[in-house]
Amino acid sequence: MINVLKIGGNQLDDKDFIAGMAKAVKQLPQRPVIVHGGGKLISTLQQKLNIQPKTIAGLRVTDADSLAIVMMVLIGQVNPMIVSALLAEGIDAMGLNGADRGLLHAVPLIHPEGDLGRVGTIDRVRAEVLKELLDQGIVPVIAPVSRGEDGGFFNVNADQAAGAIAAALGADRVTFLTNVPGVLADGQTIHQLSKADAEELIRVGVAAGGMAVKLEAAFTALEAGVPNATITDLQGLLDGTGTTITT
């Protein structure tokens, strides 16, 4: 079995969360492929450098200066922190970004609500690179900075990257780990959602911003044949709870 685990960026400035995540991964029945974000840390560094963070529909607008910050944070800070935490739990792990062995290739993401700059969408994944590592018992930890046709880099939303990677791997499950127990309506977790129901929640604004991006990434994986997509928090990962999205 192949599982893809996406770790959200809202808690990656919390060392206790990172340690707890590593302990949870150790308890999973299969070693996952991990894809991580880092949005909170990116925004913090942008503000320190007098760059105002901007988003469009939950996606970070990324000019050249912001792209440099994204690369610094994801590749230089968050990725090795996660790898180190996994190693501390006795889990063999390797950090990767999209340029490593040509793992992730992206094209510009054209959004109807505005210009996102150097934001991309993944159109090719070298799935065999990840399968080789999994066969060796190594957990790949992926920063979703991806290479473009021009040799430059694109900032790819980690939820979208996880969906694309799960699809390319023919994964059995993709889990989006976030700071809430699932998709919420009136403060309550919705335990199961069909694609049609999830699209309606996006349409009426109940699921907006980052949650809408997660749901759309789940759709990408499901449409490619991944049988299970779940949105949950750390406790839900351990308990097997959260919101399950189905076709």
Side-chain angles (χ1 to χ4, degrees), residues 185-242:
D186 298 323
Q188 300 298 311
T189 303
I190 304 172
H191 296 292
Q192 188 157 345
L193 274 176
S194 69
K195 181 174 183 288
D197 288 340
E199 287 173 337
E200 178 64 14
L201 291 180
I202 294 171
R203 188 189 69 80
V204 300
V206 172
M211 185 57 75
V213 174
K214 286 176 177 58
L215 286 170
E216 288 164 354
F219 302 159
T220 296
L222 291 169
E223 288 165 1
V226 177
N228 292 291
T230 302
I231 299 171
T232 191
D233 60 7
L234 187 55
Q235 190 60 49
L237 179 66
L238 292 169
D239 296 341
T241 58

Short mmCIF file of all heavy atoms in Angstrom, two decimals, residues 185-242:
data_model
loop_
_atom_site.label_atom_id
_atom_site.label_comp_id
_atom_site.label_asym_id
_atom_site.label_seq_id
_atom_site.Cartn_x
_atom_site.Cartn_y
_atom_site.Cartn_z
N ALA A 185 -18.96 22.36 9.65
CA ALA A 185 -20.18 23.11 9.37
C ALA A 185 -20.85 23.39 10.70
O ALA A 185 -21.13 22.45 11.46
CB ALA A 185 -21.11 22.33 8.44
N ASP A 186 -21.05 24.66 11.01
CA ASP A 186 -21.61 25.06 12.31
C ASP A 186 -20.80 24.49 13.47
O ASP A 186 -21.34 24.07 14.51
CB ASP A 186 -23.08 24.61 12.44
CG ASP A 186 -23.97 25.25 11.38
OD1 ASP A 186 -23.73 26.43 11.06
OD2 ASP A 186 -24.88 24.57 10.88
N GLY A 187 -19.48 24.46 13.27
CA GLY A 187 -18.59 24.01 14.33
C GLY A 187 -18.48 22.51 14.50
O GLY A 187 -17.72 22.04 15.35
N GLN A 188 -19.20 21.75 13.70
CA GLN A 188 -19.19 20.29 13.81
C GLN A 188 -18.48 19.65 12.61
O GLN A 188 -18.62 20.13 11.49
CB GLN A 188 -20.63 19.76 13.90
CG GLN A 188 -21.41 20.28 15.10
CD GLN A 188 -20.79 19.88 16.42
OE1 GLN A 188 -20.46 18.71 16.63
NE2 GLN A 188 -20.63 20.85 17.33
N THR A 189 -17.75 18.59 12.88
CA THR A 189 -17.05 17.89 11.81
C THR A 189 -18.02 17.10 10.95
O THR A 189 -18.87 16.36 11.46
CB THR A 189 -16.01 16.91 12.39
OG1 THR A 189 -15.11 17.62 13.23
CG2 THR A 189 -15.22 16.22 11.29
N ILE A 190 -17.91 17.27 9.64
CA ILE A 190 -18.67 16.44 8.69
C ILE A 190 -17.82 15.20 8.42
O ILE A 190 -16.72 15.30 7.89
CB ILE A 190 -18.94 17.21 7.38
CG1 ILE A 190 -19.67 18.51 7.67
CG2 ILE A 190 -19.73 16.34 6.41
CD1 ILE A 190 -19.80 19.41 6.45
N HIS A 191 -18.31 14.03 8.79
CA HIS A 191 -17.47 12.84 8.74
C HIS A 191 -17.32 12.26 7.34
O HIS A 191 -16.31 11.61 7.05
CB HIS A 191 -18.00 11.78 9.71
CG HIS A 191 -17.94 12.22 11.14
ND1 HIS A 191 -16.75 12.40 11.81
CD2 HIS A 191 -18.92 12.55 12.01
CE1 HIS A 191 -16.99 12.80 13.04
NE2 HIS A 191 -18.30 12.90 13.19
N GLN A 192 -18.31 12.50 6.48
CA GLN A 192 -18.21 11.99 5.12
C GLN A 192 -18.86 12.97 4.17
O GLN A 192 -19.92 13.52 4.46
CB GLN A 192 -18.88 10.62 5.00
CG GLN A 192 -18.61 9.95 3.63
CD GLN A 192 -18.76 8.44 3.71
OE1 GLN A 192 -18.78 7.85 4.77
NE2 GLN A 192 -18.84 7.80 2.55
N LEU A 193 -18.19 13.18 3.04
CA LEU A 193 -18.69 14.11 2.02
C LEU A 193 -18.56 13.47 0.65
O LEU A 193 -17.49 12.93 0.32
CB LEU A 193 -17.86 15.41 2.01
CG LEU A 193 -18.21 16.54 2.96
CD1 LEU A 193 -17.18 17.65 2.82
CD2 LEU A 193 -19.61 17.06 2.70
N SER A 194 -19.61 13.54 -0.14
CA SER A 194 -19.46 13.19 -1.56
C SER A 194 -18.82 14.37 -2.28
O SER A 194 -18.81 15.50 -1.77
CB SER A 194 -20.82 12.89 -2.17
OG SER A 194 -21.60 14.08 -2.25
N LYS A 195 -18.30 14.12 -3.45
CA LYS A 195 -17.71 15.19 -4.24
C LYS A 195 -18.74 16.28 -4.51
O LYS A 195 -18.45 17.49 -4.41
CB LYS A 195 -17.16 14.64 -5.55
CG LYS A 195 -16.48 15.67 -6.44
CD LYS A 195 -15.84 14.98 -7.63
CE LYS A 195 -15.09 15.97 -8.51
NZ LYS A 195 -16.01 16.85 -9.28
N ALA A 196 -19.96 15.88 -4.82
CA ALA A 196 -21.01 16.85 -5.12
C ALA A 196 -21.32 17.72 -3.89
O ALA A 196 -21.47 18.94 -4.00
CB ALA A 196 -22.27 16.15 -5.59
N ASP A 197 -21.40 17.10 -2.72
CA ASP A 197 -21.67 17.85 -1.50
C ASP A 197 -20.51 18.80 -1.17
O ASP A 197 -20.72 19.93 -0.72
CB ASP A 197 -21.90 16.91 -0.32
CG ASP A 197 -23.23 16.17 -0.41
OD1 ASP A 197 -24.12 16.66 -1.15
OD2 ASP A 197 -23.38 15.12 0.24
N ALA A 198 -19.28 18.33 -1.38
CA ALA A 198 -18.12 19.17 -1.11
C ALA A 198 -18.09 20.37 -2.05
O ALA A 198 -17.78 21.49 -1.64
CB ALA A 198 -16.84 18.34 -1.25
N GLU A 199 -18.43 20.13 -3.32
CA GLU A 199 -18.48 21.24 -4.28
C GLU A 199 -19.53 22.28 -3.87
O GLU A 199 -19.33 23.49 -4.04
CB GLU A 199 -18.77 20.70 -5.68
CG GLU A 199 -17.58 19.97 -6.30
CD GLU A 199 -17.92 19.30 -7.61
OE1 GLU A 199 -19.13 19.01 -7.83
OE2 GLU A 199 -17.00 19.06 -8.41
N GLU A 200 -20.63 21.81 -3.30
CA GLU A 200 -21.67 22.73 -2.84
C GLU A 200 -21.17 23.55 -1.64
O GLU A 200 -21.44 24.75 -1.55
CB GLU A 200 -22.94 21.96 -2.46
CG GLU A 200 -24.08 22.82 -1.92
CD GLU A 200 -24.63 23.82 -2.93
OE1 GLU A 200 -24.32 23.70 -4.14
OE2 GLU A 200 -25.36 24.73 -2.49
N LEU A 201 -20.41 22.93 -0.73
CA LEU A 201 -19.85 23.67 0.41
C LEU A 201 -18.88 24.74 -0.07
O LEU A 201 -18.83 25.84 0.50
CB LEU A 201 -19.13 22.71 1.36
CG LEU A 201 -20.01 21.73 2.14
CD1 LEU A 201 -19.14 20.85 3.04
CD2 LEU A 201 -21.04 22.46 2.98
N ILE A 202 -18.13 24.44 -1.12
CA ILE A 202 -17.23 25.45 -1.69
C ILE A 202 -18.05 26.58 -2.32
O ILE A 202 -17.76 27.76 -2.13
CB ILE A 202 -16.29 24.81 -2.73
CG1 ILE A 202 -15.33 23.82 -2.04
CG2 ILE A 202 -15.50 25.88 -3.47
CD1 ILE A 202 -14.52 22.98 -3.01
N ARG A 203 -19.10 26.20 -3.03
CA ARG A 203 -19.91 27.20 -3.75
C ARG A 203 -20.55 28.18 -2.79
O ARG A 203 -20.59 29.39 -3.06
CB ARG A 203 -20.99 26.50 -4.58
CG ARG A 203 -21.75 27.44 -5.52
CD ARG A 203 -22.94 26.75 -6.16
NE ARG A 203 -23.99 26.46 -5.19
CZ ARG A 203 -24.87 27.36 -4.76
NH1 ARG A 203 -24.82 28.62 -5.19
NH2 ARG A 203 -25.81 27.02 -3.89
N VAL A 204 -21.04 27.70 -1.65
CA VAL A 204 -21.75 28.59 -0.72
C VAL A 204 -20.80 29.23 0.29
O VAL A 204 -21.23 30.04 1.11
CB VAL A 204 -22.87 27.84 0.02
CG1 VAL A 204 -23.89 27.30 -0.97
CG2 VAL A 204 -22.33 26.73 0.91
N GLY A 205 -19.52 28.88 0.23
CA GLY A 205 -18.55 29.54 1.09
C GLY A 205 -18.35 28.91 2.45
O GLY A 205 -17.60 29.44 3.27
N VAL A 206 -18.99 27.77 2.72
CA VAL A 206 -18.74 27.07 3.99
C VAL A 206 -17.30 26.55 4.02
O VAL A 206 -16.62 26.61 5.04
CB VAL A 206 -19.75 25.92 4.19
CG1 VAL A 206 -19.36 25.07 5.41
CG2 VAL A 206 -21.15 26.49 4.37
N ALA A 207 -16.84 26.02 2.89
CA ALA A 207 -15.44 25.61 2.73
C ALA A 207 -14.79 26.64 1.81
O ALA A 207 -15.13 26.71 0.63
CB ALA A 207 -15.34 24.21 2.14
N ALA A 208 -13.90 27.44 2.37
CA ALA A 208 -13.29 28.52 1.60
C ALA A 208 -11.78 28.52 1.82
O ALA A 208 -11.25 27.80 2.68
CB ALA A 208 -13.89 29.87 2.02
N GLY A 209 -11.07 29.33 1.03
CA GLY A 209 -9.63 29.49 1.21
C GLY A 209 -8.89 28.18 1.16
O GLY A 209 -9.06 27.36 0.26
N GLY A 210 -8.07 27.93 2.21
CA GLY A 210 -7.26 26.72 2.24
C GLY A 210 -8.05 25.44 2.29
O GLY A 210 -7.65 24.43 1.72
N MET A 211 -9.23 25.45 2.94
CA MET A 211 -10.05 24.24 2.99
C MET A 211 -10.59 23.90 1.60
O MET A 211 -10.65 22.72 1.22
CB MET A 211 -11.19 24.39 3.99
CG MET A 211 -12.01 23.12 4.19
SD MET A 211 -11.02 21.70 4.74
CE MET A 211 -10.72 22.14 6.46
N ALA A 212 -10.99 24.92 0.85
CA ALA A 212 -11.45 24.67 -0.52
C ALA A 212 -10.33 24.08 -1.37
O ALA A 212 -10.56 23.16 -2.17
CB ALA A 212 -11.96 25.97 -1.14
N VAL A 213 -9.11 24.58 -1.18
CA VAL A 213 -7.96 24.04 -1.94
C VAL A 213 -7.74 22.57 -1.58
O VAL A 213 -7.47 21.74 -2.45
CB VAL A 213 -6.69 24.88 -1.66
CG1 VAL A 213 -5.48 24.23 -2.32
CG2 VAL A 213 -6.87 26.30 -2.18
N LYS A 214 -7.87 22.23 -0.29
CA LYS A 214 -7.72 20.83 0.13
C LYS A 214 -8.76 19.94 -0.52
O LYS A 214 -8.46 18.84 -1.00
CB LYS A 214 -7.82 20.73 1.65
CG LYS A 214 -6.61 21.24 2.42
CD LYS A 214 -6.85 21.20 3.90
CE LYS A 214 -5.60 21.65 4.66
NZ LYS A 214 -5.19 23.03 4.29
N LEU A 215 -10.00 20.39 -0.53
CA LEU A 215 -11.07 19.59 -1.13
C LEU A 215 -10.81 19.40 -2.62
O LEU A 215 -10.98 18.29 -3.15
CB LEU A 215 -12.42 20.26 -0.90
CG LEU A 215 -12.96 20.16 0.53
CD1 LEU A 215 -14.18 21.06 0.70
CD2 LEU A 215 -13.32 18.72 0.88
N GLU A 216 -10.40 20.45 -3.30
CA GLU A 216 -10.14 20.33 -4.74
C GLU A 216 -8.96 19.40 -5.01
O GLU A 216 -8.96 18.65 -6.00
CB GLU A 216 -9.91 21.72 -5.33
CG GLU A 216 -11.20 22.54 -5.40
CD GLU A 216 -10.97 24.02 -5.60
OE1 GLU A 216 -9.80 24.45 -5.58
OE2 GLU A 216 -11.97 24.76 -5.77
N ALA A 217 -7.95 19.43 -4.12
CA ALA A 217 -6.84 18.50 -4.26
C ALA A 217 -7.30 17.06 -4.04
O ALA A 217 -6.84 16.13 -4.71
CB ALA A 217 -5.73 18.86 -3.27
N ALA A 218 -8.22 16.88 -3.08
CA ALA A 218 -8.79 15.55 -2.87
C ALA A 218 -9.52 15.07 -4.12
O ALA A 218 -9.42 13.90 -4.50
CB ALA A 218 -9.74 15.57 -1.67
N PHE A 219 -10.25 15.98 -4.78
CA PHE A 219 -10.96 15.61 -6.02
C PHE A 219 -9.96 15.11 -7.07
O PHE A 219 -10.22 14.12 -7.76
CB PHE A 219 -11.72 16.81 -6.61
CG PHE A 219 -12.75 17.43 -5.69
CD1 PHE A 219 -13.18 18.73 -5.91
CD2 PHE A 219 -13.29 16.72 -4.63
CE1 PHE A 219 -14.12 19.32 -5.09
CE2 PHE A 219 -14.24 17.31 -3.80
CZ PHE A 219 -14.65 18.61 -4.03
N THR A 220 -8.82 15.82 -7.19
CA THR A 220 -7.80 15.43 -8.16
C THR A 220 -7.35 14.00 -7.92
O THR A 220 -7.24 13.20 -8.86
CB THR A 220 -6.58 16.38 -8.07
OG1 THR A 220 -6.98 17.70 -8.42
CG2 THR A 220 -5.45 15.93 -9.00
N ALA A 221 -7.08 13.67 -6.67
CA ALA A 221 -6.63 12.32 -6.34
C ALA A 221 -7.72 11.29 -6.60
O ALA A 221 -7.47 10.22 -7.19
CB ALA A 221 -6.18 12.27 -4.87
N LEU A 222 -8.94 11.58 -6.17
CA LEU A 222 -10.04 10.64 -6.35
C LEU A 222 -10.32 10.39 -7.83
O LEU A 222 -10.56 9.24 -8.23
CB LEU A 222 -11.30 11.18 -5.66
CG LEU A 222 -11.26 11.21 -4.12
CD1 LEU A 222 -12.45 12.00 -3.59
CD2 LEU A 222 -11.25 9.80 -3.53
N GLU A 223 -10.29 11.45 -8.61
CA GLU A 223 -10.57 11.29 -10.05
C GLU A 223 -9.50 10.47 -10.75
O GLU A 223 -9.76 9.86 -11.79
CB GLU A 223 -10.70 12.68 -10.70
CG GLU A 223 -11.99 13.40 -10.30
CD GLU A 223 -11.97 14.88 -10.63
OE1 GLU A 223 -10.96 15.35 -11.18
OE2 GLU A 223 -12.96 15.56 -10.31
N ALA A 224 -8.29 10.43 -10.16
CA ALA A 224 -7.21 9.63 -10.74
C ALA A 224 -7.23 8.19 -10.23
O ALA A 224 -6.36 7.40 -10.58
CB ALA A 224 -5.86 10.27 -10.42
N GLY A 225 -8.22 7.87 -9.38
CA GLY A 225 -8.37 6.50 -8.92
C GLY A 225 -7.89 6.22 -7.51
O GLY A 225 -7.94 5.08 -7.06
N VAL A 226 -7.40 7.26 -6.80
CA VAL A 226 -7.04 7.07 -5.39
C VAL A 226 -8.34 6.82 -4.61
O VAL A 226 -9.23 7.66 -4.64
CB VAL A 226 -6.29 8.29 -4.83
CG1 VAL A 226 -5.99 8.10 -3.34
CG2 VAL A 226 -5.00 8.53 -5.61
N PRO A 227 -8.48 5.69 -3.93
CA PRO A 227 -9.79 5.34 -3.36
C PRO A 227 -10.18 6.11 -2.10
O PRO A 227 -11.37 6.20 -1.80
CB PRO A 227 -9.66 3.85 -3.04
CG PRO A 227 -8.20 3.58 -2.97
CD PRO A 227 -7.52 4.56 -3.86
N ASN A 228 -9.20 6.67 -1.37
CA ASN A 228 -9.52 7.31 -0.10
C ASN A 228 -8.82 8.66 0.02
O ASN A 228 -7.61 8.76 -0.20
CB ASN A 228 -9.08 6.43 1.09
CG ASN A 228 -9.88 5.16 1.20
OD1 ASN A 228 -11.05 5.20 1.52
ND2 ASN A 228 -9.25 4.02 0.93
N ALA A 229 -9.58 9.68 0.41
CA ALA A 229 -9.03 11.00 0.70
C ALA A 229 -9.66 11.49 1.99
O ALA A 229 -10.89 11.47 2.15
CB ALA A 229 -9.32 11.98 -0.44
N THR A 230 -8.80 11.92 2.93
CA THR A 230 -9.28 12.31 4.26
C THR A 230 -8.65 13.64 4.66
O THR A 230 -7.47 13.87 4.39
CB THR A 230 -8.93 11.24 5.31
OG1 THR A 230 -9.50 10.00 4.93
CG2 THR A 230 -9.45 11.64 6.68
N ILE A 231 -9.44 14.49 5.31
CA ILE A 231 -8.94 15.72 5.92
C ILE A 231 -9.10 15.58 7.42
O ILE A 231 -10.21 15.28 7.91
CB ILE A 231 -9.72 16.95 5.41
CG1 ILE A 231 -9.54 17.09 3.89
CG2 ILE A 231 -9.26 18.23 6.12
CD1 ILE A 231 -10.42 18.15 3.26
N THR A 232 -8.01 15.75 8.18
CA THR A 232 -8.08 15.52 9.62
C THR A 232 -6.97 16.28 10.33
O THR A 232 -6.15 16.95 9.68
CB THR A 232 -7.99 14.00 9.93
OG1 THR A 232 -8.29 13.77 11.29
CG2 THR A 232 -6.61 13.46 9.62
N ASP A 233 -6.94 16.19 11.67
CA ASP A 233 -5.85 16.76 12.45
C ASP A 233 -4.99 15.64 13.01
O ASP A 233 -5.20 14.45 12.69
CB ASP A 233 -6.39 17.69 13.55
CG ASP A 233 -7.32 16.97 14.53
OD1 ASP A 233 -7.46 15.73 14.46
OD2 ASP A 233 -7.91 17.66 15.38
N LEU A 234 -4.01 16.00 13.85
CA LEU A 234 -3.07 15.00 14.33
C LEU A 234 -3.75 13.90 15.14
O LEU A 234 -3.46 12.72 14.96
CB LEU A 234 -1.99 15.69 15.18
CG LEU A 234 -0.81 14.83 15.62
CD1 LEU A 234 -0.14 14.16 14.44
CD2 LEU A 234 0.19 15.68 16.39
N GLN A 235 -4.68 14.27 16.01
CA GLN A 235 -5.39 13.26 16.78
C GLN A 235 -6.24 12.37 15.88
O GLN A 235 -6.31 11.16 16.07
CB GLN A 235 -6.29 13.93 17.84
CG GLN A 235 -6.88 12.94 18.84
CD GLN A 235 -5.82 12.17 19.61
OE1 GLN A 235 -4.89 12.76 20.14
NE2 GLN A 235 -5.95 10.85 19.65
N GLY A 236 -6.86 12.98 14.86
CA GLY A 236 -7.65 12.20 13.92
C GLY A 236 -6.80 11.23 13.11
O GLY A 236 -7.26 10.13 12.76
N LEU A 237 -5.55 11.63 12.83
CA LEU A 237 -4.65 10.72 12.12
C LEU A 237 -4.42 9.46 12.95
O LEU A 237 -4.40 8.35 12.41
CB LEU A 237 -3.32 11.43 11.84
CG LEU A 237 -2.24 10.62 11.12
CD1 LEU A 237 -2.68 10.28 9.70
CD2 LEU A 237 -0.92 11.39 11.09
N LEU A 238 -4.26 9.63 14.25
CA LEU A 238 -4.04 8.49 15.13
C LEU A 238 -5.31 7.66 15.31
O LEU A 238 -5.26 6.43 15.38
CB LEU A 238 -3.54 8.98 16.49
CG LEU A 238 -2.15 9.60 16.51
CD1 LEU A 238 -1.89 10.28 17.85
CD2 LEU A 238 -1.09 8.55 16.24
N ASP A 239 -6.46 8.36 15.39
CA ASP A 239 -7.73 7.68 15.68
C ASP A 239 -8.44 7.16 14.44
O ASP A 239 -9.43 6.41 14.56
CB ASP A 239 -8.68 8.64 16.41
CG ASP A 239 -8.16 9.07 17.76
OD1 ASP A 239 -7.28 8.38 18.30
OD2 ASP A 239 -8.63 10.11 18.28
N GLY A 240 -8.00 7.59 13.26
CA GLY A 240 -8.68 7.20 12.04
C GLY A 240 -9.98 7.96 11.81
O GLY A 240 -10.91 7.46 11.18
N THR A 241 -10.04 9.22 12.33
CA THR A 241 -11.24 10.04 12.17
C THR A 241 -10.93 11.24 11.29
O THR A 241 -9.79 11.48 10.90
CB THR A 241 -11.76 10.52 13.54
OG1 THR A 241 -10.73 11.27 14.20
CG2 THR A 241 -12.14 9.33 14.40
N GLY A 242 -11.97 12.02 11.01
CA GLY A 242 -11.83 13.20 10.15
C GLY A 242 -12.95 13.23 9.14
O GLY A 242 -14.00 12.61 9.33
#
